[in-house]
């Protein structure tokens, strides 16, 4: 996907002050934010309560100093108060001793981890790959943190007995799931895959063939 250049964006919004245009351009670089939404954000911050803009600016300026990926699982973690920037950091889930250490859920993104957490059914721990295997995009097995994943699974102090692969049911997601399963084969852990099928409340006539096929293959006893 082509990246919008600052020059072209400034040209289309030349009626705005240059500083406001630069702010709008930065907002437009965020995922899911188009140029009109970015301009609306910038205008709001310039005209609304001054405290909102200043508080947002302060938090954004210090965000990366205090929040970064967990050194163990890749989830988002916050440095403890007074910790040094180079100190190891653990997320709240990794620090939670109530979690089942024998169950490890592998996801592609932090957003996927958060979605699973909202379900309330996953009581194990997580591992975030950060990306999916995608030869077309130049992402190979060497670009995935598989060695770190292997170290966690075979940790003698907290061995993992089940690796639940929760990558999306897409071409890249399936390829990544197969790769993870292959890497885990020699470590003695059981590898499982999240089921996929017809969503609750959905109509069968609108489901695609792959979804229906998975639903039938994953059938279980009933009644």
């Amino acid at each position: 996907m082509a990246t919008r250049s600052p020059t072209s964006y400034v040209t289309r919004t030349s009626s705005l002050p240059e500083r406001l245009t630069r702010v709008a351009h930065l907002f437009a670089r965020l995922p899911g934010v188009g140029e009109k939404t970015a301009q609306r954000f910038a205008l709001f911050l310039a005209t609304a309560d001054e405290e909102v803009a200043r508080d947002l600016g302060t938090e954004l300026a210090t965000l990366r100093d205090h929040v970064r990926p967990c050194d163990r699982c890749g989830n988002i973690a916050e440095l403890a108060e007074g910790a040094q920037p180079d100190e190891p950091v653990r997320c709240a889930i990794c620090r939670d001793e109530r979690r089942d250490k024998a169950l490890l859920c592998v996801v592609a993104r932090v957003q996927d981890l958060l979605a699973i957490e909202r379900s309330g059914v996953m009581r194990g721990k997580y591992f975030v790959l950060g990306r999916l295997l995608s030869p077309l995009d130049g992402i190979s097995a060497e670009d995935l943190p598989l060695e770190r994943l292997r170290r966690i699974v075979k940790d003698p102090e907290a061995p993992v007995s089940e690796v639940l692969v929760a990558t999306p049911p897409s071409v890249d997601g399936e390829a990544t799931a197969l790769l993870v399963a292959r890497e885990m084969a020699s470590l003695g852990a059981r590898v499982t895959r999240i089921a996929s099928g017809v969503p609750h409340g959905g109509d069968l006539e609108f489901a695609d063939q792959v979804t229906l096929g998975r639903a039938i293959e994953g059938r279980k006893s009933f009644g």
Side-chain angles (χ1 to χ4, degrees), residues 20-185:
L20 194 61
T21 297
R22 291 200 300 268
V23 173
H25 172 66
L26 291 172
F27 276 124
R29 293 170 60 182
L30 298 175
V33 177
E35 292 181 4
K36 289 184 178 180
T37 301
Q39 180 176 304
R40 188 160 61 248
F41 287 166
L43 287 170
F44 173 82
L45 292 176
T47 59
D49 186 349
E50 181 179 339
E51 186 177 353
V52 175
R54 295 193 180 280
D55 288 346
L56 178 61
T58 299
E59 292 300 326
L60 289 177
T62 59
L63 178 65
R64 296 300 292 267
D65 295 329
H66 300 281
V67 177
R68 68 173 192 233
C70 173
D71 291 316
R72 179 187 180 275
C73 74
N75 184 24
I76 293 299
E78 184 172 7
L79 283 170
E81 192 68 32
Q84 297 301 314
D86 58 347
E87 286 186 29
V89 60
R90 292 287 188 270
C91 69
I93 293 177
C94 285
R95 297 195 311 267
D96 190 350
E97 293 298 326
R98 297 169 298 177
R99 293 270 177 167
D100 183 0
K101 298 178 181 179
L103 174 60
L104 185 69
C105 181
V106 178
V107 297
R109 308 175 305 158
V110 173
Q111 292 93 323
D112 302 327
L113 182 158
L114 296 176
I116 294 174
E117 275 295 284
R118 285 195 294 271
S119 73
V121 298
M122 173 63 189
R123 297 309 303 164
K125 297 198 173 185
Y126 293 89
F127 186 85
V128 181
L129 294 170
R131 58 181 65 187
L132 295 173
L133 185 67
S134 180
L136 293 178
D137 295 324
I139 302 175
S140 64
E142 289 71 27
D143 297 312
L144 300 180
L146 297 176
E147 180 56 38
R148 184 154 53 93
L149 175 59
R150 282 191 288 265
R151 288 199 301 269
I152 291 175
V153 172
K154 63 181 182 181
D155 183 356
E157 296 183 3
V160 174
S161 60
E162 179 182 353
V163 176
L164 170 59
V165 184
T167 53
S170 61
V171 173
D172 293 343
E174 292 294 342
T176 304
L178 290 172
L179 174 63
V180 171
R182 187 183 68 195
E183 292 292 325
M184 298 296 104

Side-chain angles (χ1 to χ4, degrees), residues 194-210:
I194 57 168
S196 61
V198 181
H200 179 71
D203 292 322
L204 293 183
E205 66 175 306
F206 299 119
D208 61 86
Q209 294 178 345
V210 174

